[in-house]
Amino acid sequence: MGKTDTIKDKEERDREFREFMKKLDEESKREEGSLLGDITTSVKKHYEGNKWDHARLFGDRRSDYQNYSDWGLDRVNAIINSIGDALKAGDYPSKKVPGSDEADPSTIEKAKEFLGMFAGDYSLIIARVQALISGTIAQFSVKSDVTRKSELRDLPLSGGLHLFFASSGKVYKASEFFTNQMIGSFQIVFETYMSTDEARMIGLQQILATTDRELAILNDLIISLRTAQAASLKEIMKKDMKDYQSTKAAYDLALDDTKADRDKVFEQYTKYKDVTDTVDRLYEQLDLTEVGGPSPGADAIRLEHLFNGWETEIARRYARERLAA
């Protein structure tokens, strides 16, 4: 991430603004350190509580500054997609995956060993991460008071990978530099760990259950944005109608971004659920000999006759989990 072109231009021309941004940078670094401390505590609780092996694979901390006339989540999403593409290709350690060059070689090898399981879940994973991080930051696109809000989350990904991320945002009124504008300062700190114990313990059912909860969070965020929009516009109508259109546009943009991310997650989630629901419904009629299960007879339905190539792999994986339960 970084700074929008509007902010960069202003820094070049205005000494007082450079001093203002210097103070924001200093505060951002302190906030990044605080968020990393929260993540470290969460990591310890997660792995020590489950008595699982674990090692850091990659991580990074970033701050971003946006003037509200240039609001957008493109840079945030670009970082998420870059990391996801590198993981999918096994392209680590590399600069594409920040911090992966510091990982122990044995951790890299373990992650690549389980890559086959991860690669199949790539689209769902990226949609989940992008939606939750972007959804958190989108809340500040319409914030009108100077407050800070921080969130800490962790997501089991797949193949033993587990993402821990913390985000924070604060809005600064900078009317002396930008007429009727504010600057948003955002911090994202993320750490990804690898655990062979978790790879064996966390299955498809748990990942889908977690995703279901994430969808509920995003739906709740959409409702909150709509509620805040109605309250803000009602207040503006009493004070100054000239701000009505710009305020409504800011809320609409945040809502559109959040709904689009929610829909991406739901699309990927539905693909998995369609397969697992079908396996559940036809379980007694399926030929599961290829995954170590029984066959109900000559009329048993083979998985590859019921699903396409990708779906068949998901069905086999889910059937193995059911048989092991």
Side-chain angles (χ1 to χ4, degrees):
M1 293 187 283
K3 301 171 184 175
T4 61
D5 290 338
T6 303
I7 290 177
K8 289 179 182 177
D9 291 343
K10 189 70 174 174
E11 280 185 308
E12 291 176 1
R13 300 193 308 268
D14 192 322
R15 181 184 60 79
E16 289 186 9
F17 185 67
R18 287 197 296 273
E19 290 298 317
F20 172 78
M21 289 304 300
K22 181 180 178 181
K23 290 180 180 178
L24 259 62
D25 285 337
E26 291 171 352
E27 183 173 331
S28 294
K29 295 303 179 187
R30 290 194 296 271
E31 184 64 17
E32 288 175 11
S34 176
L35 295 176
L36 181 59
D38 292 340
I39 286 178
T40 301
T41 299
S42 181
V43 167
K44 183 177 180 180
K45 180 179 179 182
H46 176 72
Y47 290 111
E48 291 187 3
N50 287 297
K51 295 182 172 59
W52 287 341
D53 71 274
H54 62 285
R56 181 182 185 272
L57 180 60
F58 65 86
D60 199 13
R61 55 177 85 179
R62 306 284 185 94
S63 288
D64 187 44
Y65 306 93
Q66 298 194 32
N67 180 271
Y68 276 29
S69 61
D70 302 319
W71 174 260
L73 293 170
D74 291 346
R75 289 191 303 282
V76 177
N77 292 337
I79 292 171
I80 299 167
N81 287 327
S82 172
I83 293 171
D85 288 342
L87 283 172
K88 182 181 181 184
D91 190 11
Y92 49 88
S94 76
K95 292 181 179 179
K96 293 180 181 178
V97 186
S100 62
D101 55 335
E102 301 171 9
D104 187 276
S106 64
T107 304
I108 296 289
E109 291 307 311
K110 287 178 182 178
K112 292 185 176 182
E113 178 185 344
F114 286 87
L115 182 64
M117 188 186 301
F118 169 83
D121 297 340
Y122 166 76
S123 296
L124 177 61
I125 289 167
I126 296 303
R128 291 168 62 205
V129 175
Q130 181 172 309
L132 287 177
I133 294 179
S134 298
T136 297
I137 295 178
Q139 298 176 73
F140 293 94
S141 66
V142 292
K143 198 72 175 175
S144 59
D145 56 341
V146 185
T147 59
R148 178 174 292 283
K149 183 177 180 181
S150 301
E151 291 194 8
L152 174 67
R153 298 191 186 280
D154 69 285
L155 305 175
L157 300 179
S158 187
L161 295 177
H162 198 116
L163 174 70
F164 300 81
F165 76 87
S167 58
S168 182
K170 184 174 181 178
V171 176
Y172 296 84
K173 293 179 179 177
S175 56
E176 67 270 36
F177 303 117
F178 297 101
T179 303
N180 295 324
Q181 281 292 335
M182 294 171 289
I183 292 177
S185 169
F186 313 102
Q187 291 72 48
I188 292 179
V189 179
F190 55 89
E191 295 285 308
T192 299
Y193 280 73
M194 173 67 201
S195 169
T196 54
D197 288 339
E198 187 166 12
R200 297 185 180 101
M201 294 296 295
I202 299 298
L204 185 60
Q205 296 175 69
Q206 290 95 327
I207 290 172
L208 290 178
T210 301
T211 307
D212 189 55
R213 291 194 294 273
E214 291 160 8
L215 286 167
I217 291 170
L218 291 167
N219 283 324
D220 183 65
L221 175 58
I222 290 169
I223 293 171
S224 297
L225 284 168
R226 287 201 177 279
T227 302
Q229 180 184 40
S232 295
L233 294 178
K234 188 175 181 180
E235 193 66 24
I236 286 171
M237 289 169 64
K238 297 177 184 177
K239 295 179 179 178
D240 195 342
M241 280 295 292
K242 73 176 186 297
D243 292 331
Y244 183 95
Q245 189 171 4
S246 62
T247 302
K248 184 178 185 301
Y251 273 104
D252 286 345
L253 179 59
L255 282 164
D256 289 344
D257 282 342
T258 305
K259 287 190 288 186
D261 287 333
R262 186 272 317 273
D263 292 346
K264 288 177 185 176
V265 177
F266 186 72
E267 179 185 2
Q268 297 299 326
Y269 172 79
T270 300
K271 291 179 181 178
Y272 282 76
K273 280 291 289 178
D274 286 346
V275 174
T276 58
D277 287 350
T278 299
V279 171
D280 285 338
R281 187 170 62 253
L282 300 176
Y283 191 74
E284 299 301 327
Q285 305 171 47
L286 298 177
D287 180 354
L288 300 178
T289 53
E290 62 179 315
V291 294
S295 171
D299 295 331
I301 305 171
R302 293 184 60 82
L303 295 176
E304 63 266 32
H305 296 162
L306 193 60
F307 301 106
N308 65 29
W310 177 85
E311 292 173 337
T312 301
E313 289 305 311
I314 297 299
R316 287 172 180 154
R317 184 170 153 197
Y318 181 58
R320 288 190 190 97
E321 287 185 18
R322 281 202 51 161
L323 289 166

